[in-house]
Structures are given as C-alpha cells and as structure tokens.
Amino acid sequence: MKIVLATRNPGKIAELRRILSGFDIVGLEEFPDIEDVVETGVTFEENALLKAHAVAQAAGLPAVADDSGLCVDVLNGMPGVFSARWAGRHGDDRGNLELLLAQVSDVPERHLGAHFTCCAALALPDGGQRTVEGILPGRLIREPRGTNGFGYDPIFVPEGDSRTTAELTAGEKDAISHRGRAFRALAPIVRELLS
Ligand code: IMP
C-alpha cells in the first residue's frame, strides 16, 4: 500500500520508512504538481491536518504529514507553530536561534525548560483522519553546541542527557525525538486502518 508523506525532506521520508516497514512510503517529489500548503493553522494539529488532507486529496492516496516546533515554557509555548519563521523568514535556522537566545538572555537557567512537539496526521482520500502527538522534554542552553540536526538542536538539551540534540547521532535522536515518537505512535493506526 502506497502512502504519501507530505514533505520534500529526504530525512523525514527515510525515518518514516524505517518506522512503517511494509508500506511503500513516497515523498512529494513523486508528485511535482502538488503545490506546497501554506501553514495557516495556529496549532500543530491544524497544520499537520491541512497538509495531510491537501496531499491525500491531490494524490488520491493516504497521506501522512507532520508539523513540529519548539515550545519554551517561559515564552508561554512560543515559538511553537512559528518555530520555522520566528525571526521573520521561513527556514532561517540561525536567525531563529539567535532571536530566541536574545529573548531569554536575562532568564535564569532554572527557568529555561522547553520541549519539542510533533503532531503527525494521517488523512485518507475519503476524508478520514487521525492525529497523534510526540513530545521531547528538555531545556535550553545559551551557548550553541553540536553540528548534527537542524533548527534549534544546538541549544536544546533533552531531559536525562547533557548533550544537545545537535550532539546526538541521527539514530540516537530518532529514538527519543518528538517526530520519532509521533511517527511510532501513528504506525499501529496506519496498520489498523490500511492493512
Ligand atoms: P517543520 O515541522 O518541519 O515545519 O519544522 C518546524 C520548525 O520547528 C523547524 O524549522 C525548526 O525550527 C523547529 N524544529 C522542529 N523539529 C526540530 C528538531 O528536531 N530540531 C530542531 N528544530 C526543530
């Protein structure tokens, strides 16, 4: 059974393929005519569903989409759904990280709790849908460390570790990450609905 993952990110496609073995996971590169969906939602779930339904309708196949971000306690959960465009330009990872560090520069360390959240959505061409959420709790540090990963990884230390998620290998991060957790929670639902 073919499932479209609503992304052009090869890393995400590979991760979902590892978790959903037995299914033929393809990315949006197989559907060049499907346009990118504008993320107009104000929650991770809304955005994940927007993307999954748009692709399920356009491709006529079951579609999985995810939406994720960093939620900082002292900022009332921001950057949240605005994580990718926090500094004003979509995908400016360095600018986003620097703005966030500037915003919390006077906040005592003990108040730097944060978590990554990922909502994964499955949408079917008949309009059916399911969503699940994965969370990675941790805290922010002020001095970026590590070169793996992307986005806010160099300033995020997961609970129970002293390394940032940018200092973990891809496998170590997959095992604990919000996205890994959400995709693993979605897997039995996909199998139940589509097998
Ligand atoms: P998206 O869900 O791929 O659109 O990601 C949204 C944004 O959240 C990214 O651009 C990053 O800024 C941030 N983000 C989501 N997941 C991670 C992660 O695993 N590490 C670092 N940043 C992340």
Side-chain angles (χ1 to χ4, degrees), residues 4-9 11-13 15-16 28 37 39 43-53 55 63-69 81 84 90 117-123 130-134 150 177-184 186:
V4 188
L5 180 60
T7 186
R8 296 181 204 282
N9 178 335
K12 281 191 190 175
I13 297 168
E15 187 174 0
L16 191 62
L28 282 181
V37 176
E39 297 183 6
T43 64
F44 296 115
E45 186 177 44
E46 259 183 274
N47 281 336
L49 282 169
L50 272 175
K51 292 186 265 187
H53 278 298
V55 172
V64 169
D66 77 308
D67 195 48
S68 60
V81 292
H90 197 97
T117 297
C118 174
C119 177
L122 168 71
R130 300 290 284 272
T131 60
V132 292
E133 199 172 77
F150 66 103
S177 82
H178 46 307
R179 200 169 1 267
R181 285 176 176 161
F183 281 168
R184 282 192 294 276
L186 194 66

Side-chain angles (χ1 to χ4, degrees), residues 73-128:
D73 299 350
V74 79
L75 296 179
N76 292 327
M78 292 289 114
V81 292
F82 305 109
S83 291
R85 54 196 137 124
W86 192 235
R89 203 155 48 86
H90 197 97
D92 178 8
D93 280 7
R94 192 75 213 173
N96 291 337
L97 181 153
E98 279 170 5
L99 177 58
L100 183 64
L101 283 181
Q103 287 162 333
V104 298
S105 59
D106 294 333
V107 176
E109 292 257 301
R110 65 181 186 284
H111 291 305
L112 288 182
H115 61 271
F116 279 120
T117 297
C118 174
C119 177
L122 168 71
L124 305 179
D126 70 5

